[in-house]
Amino acid sequence: MNIEINTTITFENLLESNSRVTQHIGGTRSGKTYAILSYVIVEGLKSPQIITVVRRTIPSLKRTVIKDFTDILKGIGIWNEDNFNISDRTYRLGDSTIQFINSDDPEKLRGLKSDILFIDEASELDEESWFQLRIRTSGKIILAYNPTISPQHWLRKMQDCERFVTTYKDNPYLPADMVKAIEELQHTNDKQWKIYGQGEFAANDKAIFEFELVNVINGEFIAFGFDVGYSNDPSSLVAIYKEGNELYLEELLYEKALVTSDIVDKFRKLEIDKSHEIFCDSSEPRLIEEIYRSGFNIKPVVKGPDSIRFGIGVMKNYKIKILRTSQNLINEMYAYQYITDKYGYVTDKPEGGLDHAIDAARYAVMMKLSVKAQRKGTYAISVGKYSNF
């Protein structure tokens, strides 16, 4: 049976590249994801392969790569519903198996074996997960992402790879009205045009925070913020310092699978003064009590309605400076952005997920530097000019 499949330059890049690892950096509507999926389908039809397709969460898998994969197979007339195991998210393609994996489940990553690996939106992946996936892949590794990542991100630092940049101009199947909308950005929004029109690295235009990287900390210590994780998310400790209207943030801990005794050991190795306040998510009362009994001044965060946006608001009252060695915090700050609604408008609601160190910082800032916190312990009264004493 002969099969014809529409391709783009990304497909050709993959065929011609001799590099084991390729990075595909593309602006909006460059067609990179569709082309990469077409490539892995062709490879799976040519010979028996175990092909792994990765995104961070199950909803993002279903919404993007699984949908595109299904559309491609239907378009070339070989989709078979019986070959798709919905619960395992695997598809039997001839003698090959395509498995769709969410990277926010680290246990799944450790049990994988792949001949070909495709990580879509690779910038969402932490470096440890990348390591686990890489060492379990025998053949080609394909990384795709948008050019809105931190200059300090592990993808930007990677050396043993070949990089390809594509834009909307590399997608010949793009409707004319979409082309027009993208090209209008060069007259209306320089930053978005640079990212989405030209595929160049730039700051995230939906980013919540602006910040500066520094080599040294200037300021008075305020408090520690601590966000608790375990298997899926890291536990994160951030120190906060203040100098005038400037906040200095330093990442001290960012690690998964820590139990209480591990956390206490980490705190001791960091030589945290037992008089210094550590503010922790109040949803972990048992852990807070255990750490407190170990001699640390840890306290639960008092959360009111809409506390996330409130804490963000307090942080944005200051110029934020981050110690250059705080790698994970820097990656989070670049990626932390507002959600876009279905009409394409940026909302005031933050996108959760990669925000563990940010949450830690927010706890400390909210509890120590909000107006309410700074007024704690005082009582003000207005006295009229006609009062008698």
Side-chain angles (χ1 to χ4, degrees), residues 228-378:
V228 182
Y230 186 64
S231 58
N232 293 339
D233 301 323
S235 293
S236 180
L237 182 73
V238 175
I240 309 295
Y241 302 81
K242 179 177 175 293
E243 175 72 18
N245 70 335
E246 297 177 340
L247 280 186
Y248 290 81
L249 278 58
E250 180 183 11
E251 171 195 321
L252 297 172
L253 176 64
Y254 198 91
E255 192 171 337
K256 294 179 181 178
L258 297 181
V259 297
T260 304
S261 59
D262 297 326
I263 293 168
V264 169
D265 287 343
K266 299 283 185 183
F267 285 5
R268 286 174 178 160
K269 288 178 181 178
L270 289 167
E271 298 183 349
I272 293 176
D273 191 306
K274 295 181 180 180
S275 66
H276 286 165
E277 293 175 299
I278 306 169
F279 290 99
C280 180
D281 188 347
S282 56
S283 65
E284 299 285 345
R286 180 175 177 176
L287 181 139
I288 291 172
E289 181 62 25
E290 289 171 348
I291 296 175
Y292 179 79
R293 292 186 184 186
S294 298
F296 293 95
N297 188 19
I298 190 167
K299 301 176 179 180
V301 175
V302 179
K303 295 182 180 179
D306 208 14
S307 63
I308 295 177
R309 277 187 282 192
F310 173 74
I312 289 171
V314 177
M315 291 180 69
K316 292 182 75 169
N317 287 332
Y318 297 87
K319 293 180 180 178
I320 297 176
K321 299 189 176 185
I322 302 177
L323 196 63
R324 197 175 295 274
T325 55
S326 302
Q327 182 64 69
N328 298 292
L329 175 58
I330 292 168
N331 291 342
E332 287 191 7
M333 291 288 276
Y334 267 99
Y336 198 47
Q337 63 185 23
Y338 290 113
I339 291 174
T340 302
D341 67 19
K342 63 181 180 180
Y343 302 107
Y345 294 105
V346 179
T347 70
D348 64 348
K349 185 178 180 181
E351 186 177 88
L354 191 63
D355 52 6
H356 317 296
I358 291 174
D359 281 350
R362 179 171 56 83
Y363 297 154
V365 172
M366 184 170 62
M367 294 300 292
K368 295 296 289 185
L369 298 178
S370 67
V371 172
K372 183 177 180 180
Q374 293 183 68
R375 287 179 176 174
K376 188 175 180 180
T378 65

Side-chain angles (χ1 to χ4, degrees), residues 81-300:
E81 192 78 38
D82 294 335
N83 290 351
F84 187 45
N85 186 318
I86 296 176
S87 59
D88 291 339
R89 293 184 295 282
T90 60
Y91 187 86
R92 191 174 70 256
L93 183 67
D95 293 325
S96 295
T97 298
I98 318 288
Q99 52 187 357
F100 297 90
I101 302 296
N102 53 303
S103 64
D104 60 359
D105 186 347
E107 295 307 314
K108 286 186 178 179
L109 304 187
R110 288 177 170 81
L112 284 176
K113 288 185 179 179
S114 309
D115 296 307
I116 298 175
L117 171 66
F118 168 35
I119 306 176
D120 193 30
E121 298 300 341
S123 55
E124 298 176 340
L125 202 70
D126 62 79
E127 197 164 4
E128 171 62 21
S129 297
W130 156 243
F131 172 77
Q132 295 296 335
L133 287 165
R134 183 184 63 182
I135 63 174
R136 289 168 173 78
T137 302
S138 61
K140 206 171 190 71
I141 298 176
I142 307 164
L143 306 169
Y145 59 95
N146 291 318
T148 54
I149 63 172
S150 160
Q152 309 300 319
H153 198 283
W154 58 268
L155 283 167
R156 297 278 291 271
K157 296 180 177 182
M158 189 184 295
Q159 295 181 346
D160 55 340
C161 68
E162 189 170 4
R163 290 180 171 87
F164 301 96
V165 177
T166 54
T167 72
Y168 71 100
K169 292 182 179 179
D170 297 304
N171 185 357
Y173 311 105
L174 199 60
D177 58 339
M178 289 187 182
V179 172
K180 181 180 178 182
I182 293 170
E183 292 184 338
E184 284 176 351
L185 292 174
Q186 61 188 307
H187 307 295
T188 60
N189 192 313
D190 289 340
K191 184 184 289 186
Q192 288 190 358
W193 171 245
K194 183 177 181 181
I195 298 168
Y196 303 121
Q198 298 176 302
E200 297 180 11
F201 285 113
N204 186 350
D205 63 309
K206 295 184 290 185
I208 293 174
F209 293 109
E210 293 182 1
F211 61 95
E212 176 185 344
L213 300 184
V214 296
N215 294 318
V216 295
I217 291 174
N218 296 315
E220 178 186 355
F221 175 78
I222 298 299
F224 295 104
F226 182 56
D227 188 54
V228 182
Y230 186 64
S231 58
N232 293 339
D233 301 323
S235 293
S236 180
L237 182 73
V238 175
I240 309 295
Y241 302 81
K242 179 177 175 293
E243 175 72 18
N245 70 335
E246 297 177 340
L247 280 186
Y248 290 81
L249 278 58
E250 180 183 11
E251 171 195 321
L252 297 172
L253 176 64
Y254 198 91
E255 192 171 337
K256 294 179 181 178
L258 297 181
V259 297
T260 304
S261 59
D262 297 326
I263 293 168
V264 169
D265 287 343
K266 299 283 185 183
F267 285 5
R268 286 174 178 160
K269 288 178 181 178
L270 289 167
E271 298 183 349
I272 293 176
D273 191 306
K274 295 181 180 180
S275 66
H276 286 165
E277 293 175 299
I278 306 169
F279 290 99
C280 180
D281 188 347
S282 56
S283 65
E284 299 285 345
R286 180 175 177 176
L287 181 139
I288 291 172
E289 181 62 25
E290 289 171 348
I291 296 175
Y292 179 79
R293 292 186 184 186
S294 298
F296 293 95
N297 188 19
I298 190 167
K299 301 176 179 180

